[in-house]
Amino acid sequence: MDNQEDRAQFHDMSQSTQEDWQIIMRHNIPFSQDGGRRILDHLKLLDGDFGGFAVDRLTHSLQTATRAHRDGRDDDYVVMALLHDIGDTLGATNHPDIAAAILKPFVSEKLLWIVQNHGIFQGQNFFHHLGLDRDMREQFRGHEWFADTEEFIDKYDCPSFDPNYDTLPLSFFEPMVMQLFRSPLNSIYKRAAEAVA
């Protein structure tokens, strides 16, 4: 139970003190380190949400990650593959942006670029059915991670709507998610968190 003495005393952030922020950071560290659990809980919201596809969104995410794992990708890549569509429930029109925002402090610039742009790259396969430019990805031709993003789409994302595929369960990926979200690679708060820890 939270008690008054273990809470900051300001009611206006401009009046905060160093003591207030020491209290806040003491609470923030375990909260931040448990981010993987909250990510997994949110990912479960995709369970049973088919959106017209042959498999639900969670199964699609699990299949994408399973394919990446079986292809020998490292854990960071596999978690990116698992979470690439986590934004579907919050941002149907910009789901790659949501996944990228979640992953940004925890993955390399390359993996961030892949997840950020996967929506445009996958359009090669269906944009023309919606009256859109299926070659929209060509605006990025020449980018250092163009081929990597194209490979993510072709090998892992696009074929992962198969109800008969031997998909690994979410519990298999849980340790990878928990490890990745334990500590950010980069964040404006990283140094402050390390100082309090």
Side-chain angles (χ1 to χ4, degrees):
M1 173 167 294
D2 197 26
N3 64 54
Q4 185 69 33
E5 294 78 36
D6 198 33
R7 287 192 240 156
Q9 299 302 304
F10 66 85
H11 296 179
D12 179 330
M13 196 177 282
S14 67
Q15 305 299 313
S16 65
T17 66
Q18 185 171 0
E19 291 77 21
D20 288 328
W21 285 100
Q22 287 173 339
I23 292 168
I24 292 166
M25 289 306 291
R26 268 198 318 272
H27 287 265
N28 187 58
I29 290 173
F31 181 78
S32 294
Q33 291 177 341
D34 198 34
R37 176 68 42 222
R38 291 188 304 280
I39 294 295
L40 290 164
D41 288 346
H42 189 84
L43 193 62
K44 291 173 187 174
L45 295 176
L46 302 178
D47 189 17
D49 179 359
F50 285 82
F53 293 101
V55 298
D56 66 34
R57 295 178 196 276
L58 178 59
T59 301
H60 167 67
S61 298
L62 291 169
Q63 275 188 30
T64 305
T66 299
R67 291 174 190 279
H69 171 72
R70 289 181 177 155
D71 200 32
R73 296 296 181 158
D74 64 29
D75 288 356
D76 292 2
Y77 191 105
V78 172
V79 173
M80 179 275 294
L82 178 66
L83 302 183
H84 77 285
D85 282 348
I86 195 170
D88 279 351
T89 58
L90 294 173
T93 58
N94 69 329
H95 77 275
D97 298 321
I98 294 170
I102 291 168
L103 286 163
K104 184 176 182 176
F106 302 96
V107 298
S108 68
E109 289 183 35
K110 176 180 169 179
L111 294 184
L112 181 64
W113 202 88
I114 291 171
V115 77
Q116 178 73 54
N117 292 290
H118 83 273
I120 291 172
F121 275 69
Q122 68 188 186
Q124 177 74 29
N125 298 288
F126 69 90
F127 277 1
H128 56 294
H129 298 307
L130 303 175
L132 300 172
D133 179 8
R134 72 181 299 185
D135 294 320
M136 200 179 296
R137 70 165 76 172
E138 290 303 314
Q139 67 186 299
F140 299 115
R141 178 77 60 186
H143 190 281
E144 64 180 310
W145 297 315
F146 184 97
D148 298 293
T149 309
E150 190 173 47
E151 180 182 48
F152 170 74
I153 295 302
D154 293 346
K155 287 180 80 173
Y156 311 126
D157 190 7
C158 284
S160 294
F161 296 90
D162 182 355
N164 299 313
Y165 184 75
D166 178 25
T167 305
L168 292 168
L170 185 57
S171 59
F172 178 86
F173 300 104
E174 186 173 327
M176 295 179 208
V177 172
M178 295 302 290
Q179 180 61 39
L180 183 72
F181 285 94
R182 186 137 184 88
S183 179
L185 295 175
N186 51 61
S187 165
I188 61 172
Y189 302 110
K190 182 175 171 72
R191 188 171 56 153
E194 289 170 349
V196 174

